Amino acid sequence: MTKQTRFFISTAISVLAAGLLILGLIILPDTIVMQIPASGTAGTTMSKYLGLMIPFAISVVFAVLYYIKAGRVKDLVMSLVGMVLFGFTFYFNL
C-alpha cells in the first residue's frame, strides 16, 4: 500500500474514533457498563470518560502505528478492534 493510502486509512479511523468519543460523551450516562456477566446484570462499571477513552486510545494509537510502520496489518486490525469496542460500549449502554 502506498504511503498516501495508509495516511488516508489512519486519518479516517482517527476521525471516526473522535466522532464516536464525542457522541458517547453526549448521549451515554455518566456511569457506563463495561462488562456484563452471564446473569445479565451490570458487571464492571466505570466513568464514561475513562470508558470511552480506552477504545479511543486503542483505535488512534494503532492507526498511527499502522501509518508509521509501513502498513503492518496487525496494527490495522487492532485499530479496528478499538472501533468494535466502541460498538459494544454503545450497545451495552443504550
Side-chain angles (χ1 to χ4, degrees), residues 1-87:
M1 236 182 256
T2 66
K3 189 173 185 176
Q4 184 178 10
T5 305
R6 287 194 324 267
F7 178 76
F8 175 75
I9 291 170
S10 298
T11 303
I13 290 171
S14 298
V15 168
L16 182 60
L20 289 172
L21 174 69
I22 292 168
L23 181 66
L25 290 174
I26 294 170
I27 66 171
L28 291 178
D30 289 333
T31 302
I32 59 175
V33 176
M34 294 303 289
Q35 191 175 34
I36 296 178
S39 65
T41 62
T44 304
T45 60
M46 63 177 56
S47 163
K48 76 175 168 183
Y49 301 106
L50 181 60
L52 291 172
M53 284 305 294
I54 293 170
F56 176 76
I58 291 171
S59 295
V60 172
V61 166
F62 282 102
V64 169
L65 286 175
Y66 174 72
Y67 174 69
I68 292 173
K69 300 222 177 181
R72 288 191 329 186
V73 175
K74 65 181 179 180
D75 292 328
L76 178 61
V77 169
M78 282 303 296
S79 67
L80 296 176
V81 165
M83 302 307 263
V84 170
L85 291 175
F86 266 122

